């Protein structure tokens, strides 16, 4: 049996079972949802197995009491295959009372049903992503986001990995199966296989609408070429036309929505703080994937390709950092945003906690000149915030690919991604 790598969602899972009748775990296929959820379940129903699906679909269609029988917590893996489970479970929770009765895992959002109850007060949703570097034991975790928000800014640590190592991690991704394989060539192939499965099967099954695999791959590739940028649909359309592809904006939007239902695309929302200056905020979301390995795969980029193309490397490194920041932030009740204003000032990430505390982050591969420029940007944005109506940022941070973790004389923190944790 292969080693189980502890996931940051584990603690959230335990708490959710104590506070809700049903825990719903969503996320991309192969990110480890089932493996983690099974550790908490006492009865497991795997609906991806054809024979099991047929039996439980009959139970559901006929309202058979056998549908929800089994020692609790009762887990339904890939529950979206029988969307009516939602209402059956909601009603059962009302009858049973108490907490921690059911677990639902799904790698796609179920077909929309306007009459479906929201599940408020009964269902607790958790989002799971591919593994962060701390979860895959590739970050030493010497700098904690939680500690920074608690006021501990005495940081230290060194990232021992080279740029080539970071490039490999980007192309391999955080898929548990890839992380646990010692053969690097096979690990890299897993992301390729993921994309093939995505465009040939998953995107059709997500909502029953037949889609073209070649067209789906083209749209994902276009997204990859615009990764870490606030590209509008019209921009994506022009990009395709430049590459001899012509698609209607509505068609592009339909495919993008399907990919979001599969938890493949996960854009970053724009932040909306109060500004002291007359600058206006840009409200466009930033294009992102749930894992940068998907972008690397559709761009046919291997680790050496990235090392030889630092521009693409930088954009995919930013995507890697965003993936990890999302995982770390959500484990401490936070969320990630982007910042852009009319003066041209941009911040790659804002970590905003539910208690109102926030931190401002720029992401750079490294280099003294790039770090210096990023620090000036962070300080300029801080100065533009109206601190009479908003809290001071708890920290300003530049995330780099290599080097040491340290605090600059101006107070800006410089932290390699391989030193960071929740």
């Amino acid at each position: 049996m292969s080693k189980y790598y502890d996931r940051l969602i584990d603690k959230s899972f335990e708490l959710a079972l104590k506070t809700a009748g049903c825990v719903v775990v969503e996320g991309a296929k192969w990110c480890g949802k089932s493996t983690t959820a099974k550790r908490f379940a006492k009865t497991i129903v795997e609906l991806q197995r054809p024979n099991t699906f047929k039996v439980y679909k009959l139970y559901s269609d006929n309202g058979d009491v056998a549908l929800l029988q089994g020692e609790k917590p009762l887990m339904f893996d890939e529950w979206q295959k029988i969307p009516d489970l939602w209402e059956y479970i909601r009603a059962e929770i009302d009858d049973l009372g108490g907490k921690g009765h059911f677990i639902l895992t799904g790698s796609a959002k179920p077909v929309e049903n306007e009459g479906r109850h929201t599940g408020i007060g009964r269902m607790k949703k958790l989002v799971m992503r591919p593994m962060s570097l701390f979860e895959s034991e590739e970050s030493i975790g010497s700098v904690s986001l939680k500690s920074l928000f608690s006021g501990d800014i005495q940081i230290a640590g060194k990232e021992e990995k080279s740029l080539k190592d970071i490039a490999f991690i980007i192309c391999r991704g955080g898929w548990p199966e890839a992380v646990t394989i010692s053969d690097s060539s096979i690990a890299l192939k897993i992301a390729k296989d993921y994309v093939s499965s995505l465009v040939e099967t998953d995107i059709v099954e997500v909502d029953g609408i037949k889609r073209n695999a070649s067209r789906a791959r083209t749209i994902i590739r276009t997204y990859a070429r615009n990764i870490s940028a606030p590209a509008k649909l019209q921009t994506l359309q022009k990009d395709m036309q430049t590459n001899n592809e012509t698609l209607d904006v509505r068609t592009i939007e339909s495919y993008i929505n399907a990919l979001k239902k599969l938890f493949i695309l996960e854009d970053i929302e724009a932040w909306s703080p109060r500004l002291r200056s007359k600058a206006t905020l840009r409200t466009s979301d930033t294009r992102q994937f749930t894992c940068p390995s998907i972008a690397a795969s559709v761009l046919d980029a291997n680790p050496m390709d990235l090392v030889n193309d630092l521009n693409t490397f930088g954009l995919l490194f930013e995507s890697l950092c965003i993936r990890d920041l999302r995982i770390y932030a959500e484990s401490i009740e936070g969320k990630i945003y982007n910042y852009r204003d009319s003066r041209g000032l941009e911040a790659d990430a804002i970590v905003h906690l539910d208690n109102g505390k926030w931190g401002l982050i720029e992401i750079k591969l490294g280099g003294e000149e790039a770090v210096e420029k990023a620090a000036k940007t962070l300080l300029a944005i801080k100065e533009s915030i109206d601190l009479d109506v908003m809290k001071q940022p708890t920290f300003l941070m530049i995330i780099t690919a290599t080097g040491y973790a340290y605090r600059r004389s101006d107070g800006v923190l410089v932290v390699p991604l391989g030193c960071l944790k929740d």
Side-chain angles (χ1 to χ4, degrees):
M1 182 177 179
S2 61
K3 171 185 174 182
Y4 177 77
Y5 286 75
D6 290 334
R7 307 297 295 269
L8 293 179
I9 201 174
D10 289 352
K11 292 181 180 178
S12 300
F13 210 125
E14 288 182 32
L15 179 60
L17 283 171
K18 295 176 182 177
T19 57
C22 178
V23 179
V24 184
V25 188
E26 300 178 327
K29 184 187 288 187
W30 297 6
C31 74
K33 300 181 303 298
S34 300
T35 301
T36 293
K38 286 176 181 178
R39 294 167 63 83
F40 297 93
K42 291 184 178 177
T43 305
I44 300 166
V45 178
E46 297 180 320
L47 294 176
Q48 65 270 41
R49 297 181 180 274
N51 289 339
T52 301
F53 170 76
K54 289 177 183 177
V55 171
Y56 276 84
K57 184 68 167 64
L58 283 172
Y59 288 160
S60 174
D61 290 345
N62 296 321
D64 196 312
V65 293
L67 178 68
L68 303 181
Q69 285 183 350
E71 188 177 3
K72 307 299 189 294
L74 168 58
M75 170 184 164
F76 287 95
D77 200 11
E78 298 297 343
W79 78 272
Q80 77 280 354
K81 292 180 176 293
I82 305 180
D84 288 344
L85 272 170
W86 184 273
E87 293 296 347
Y88 281 118
I89 287 175
R90 181 187 63 81
E92 185 75 357
I93 291 171
D94 288 345
D95 292 341
L96 292 174
K99 310 296 180 184
H101 297 301
F102 298 97
I103 298 170
L104 301 178
T105 66
S107 54
K109 293 185 182 295
V111 176
E112 295 295 331
N113 181 344
E114 292 183 2
R116 183 180 296 132
H117 193 281
T118 60
I120 292 177
R122 305 165 183 86
M123 316 288 202
K124 172 65 177 178
K125 286 190 177 182
L126 300 176
V127 176
M128 194 169 189
R129 299 181 177 83
M131 300 170 79
S132 65
L133 294 195
F134 184 64
E135 291 171 308
S136 62
E137 300 180 357
E138 293 167 300
S139 169
I140 62 174
S142 61
V143 180
S144 162
L145 269 187
K146 185 176 182 180
S147 295
L148 292 179
F149 278 113
S150 297
D152 182 6
I153 56 173
Q154 301 305 312
I155 63 171
K158 182 183 179 183
E159 170 59 276
E160 300 288 352
K161 291 185 284 295
S162 66
L163 282 180
K164 185 177 179 182
D165 295 330
I166 298 295
F168 170 78
I169 288 172
I170 288 172
C171 294
R172 181 207 64 196
W175 314 104
E177 185 180 353
V179 168
T180 56
I181 289 177
S182 58
D183 188 321
S184 60
S185 61
I186 296 177
L188 289 173
K189 189 175 182 299
I190 286 175
K192 294 279 188 182
D193 291 343
Y194 186 95
V195 172
S196 294
S197 173
L198 174 69
V199 301
E200 292 168 12
T201 304
D202 299 345
I203 199 166
V204 175
E205 294 181 350
V206 65
D207 53 14
I209 298 174
K210 186 171 179 59
R211 293 185 172 87
N212 181 278
S214 176
R215 184 173 290 176
R217 188 179 289 273
T218 295
I219 289 172
I220 297 172
R221 188 182 296 117
T222 298
Y223 226 86
R225 284 195 292 263
N226 289 275
I227 195 170
S228 305
K232 296 181 179 180
L233 283 174
Q234 289 79 5
T235 302
L236 300 181
Q237 184 187 42
K238 289 179 181 177
D239 183 282
M240 291 180 195
Q241 291 172 343
T242 301
N243 289 275
N244 300 317
E245 294 282 350
T246 304
L247 289 178
D248 183 85
V249 169
R250 290 172 296 180
T251 301
I252 297 171
E253 187 173 29
S254 171
Y255 275 78
I256 287 174
N257 288 337
L259 291 165
K260 287 181 177 180
K261 288 179 181 179
L262 291 165
F263 306 101
I264 300 305
L265 306 180
E266 192 173 17
D267 296 344
I268 310 174
E269 295 178 38
W271 197 46
S272 302
R274 296 287 186 89
L275 296 178
R276 179 181 293 129
S277 69
K278 294 182 179 179
T280 55
L281 292 172
R282 304 304 189 194
T283 58
S284 298
D285 293 351
T286 301
R287 304 293 182 180
Q288 279 296 355
F289 290 84
T290 192
C291 185
S293 62
I294 302 172
S297 176
V298 296
L299 292 173
D300 293 321
N302 62 43
M304 284 310 301
D305 290 332
L306 295 186
V307 172
N308 292 326
D309 180 357
L310 292 182
N311 182 54
T312 301
F313 193 171
L315 295 172
L316 293 184
F317 176 66
E318 181 177 331
S319 184
L320 177 71
C321 293
I322 294 298
R323 181 199 71 189
D324 284 13
L325 285 170
R326 276 182 162 139
I327 295 169
Y328 300 153
E330 288 185 3
S331 73
I332 57 173
E333 305 296 322
K335 190 173 180 181
I336 300 298
Y337 298 91
N338 73 63
Y339 177 95
R340 288 182 175 84
D341 67 28
S342 58
R343 298 167 300 171
L345 290 177
E346 301 181 4
D348 297 318
I350 305 286
V351 183
H352 193 279
L353 302 189
D354 286 350
N355 62 14
K357 291 184 178 181
W358 60 284
L360 193 57
I361 298 174
E362 272 279 76
I363 299 168
K364 301 294 178 185
L365 275 178
E368 187 176 335
E369 184 177 340
V371 168
E372 188 64 33
K373 183 179 179 181
K376 289 180 179 178
T377 296
L378 293 174
L379 292 166
I381 294 174
K382 177 186 175 182
E383 287 302 312
S384 71
I385 303 296
D386 188 345
L387 299 177
D388 291 331
V389 294
M390 288 198 65
K391 295 180 180 180
Q392 283 265 5
T394 304
F395 60 83
L396 307 179
M397 181 196 297
I398 302 167
I399 298 179
T400 60
T402 60
Y404 291 89
Y406 62 96
R407 184 171 182 266
R408 290 165 45 102
S409 59
D410 56 14
V412 176
L413 308 178
V414 179
V415 182
L417 182 63
C419 291
L420 201 59
K421 70 173 183 177
D422 59 308

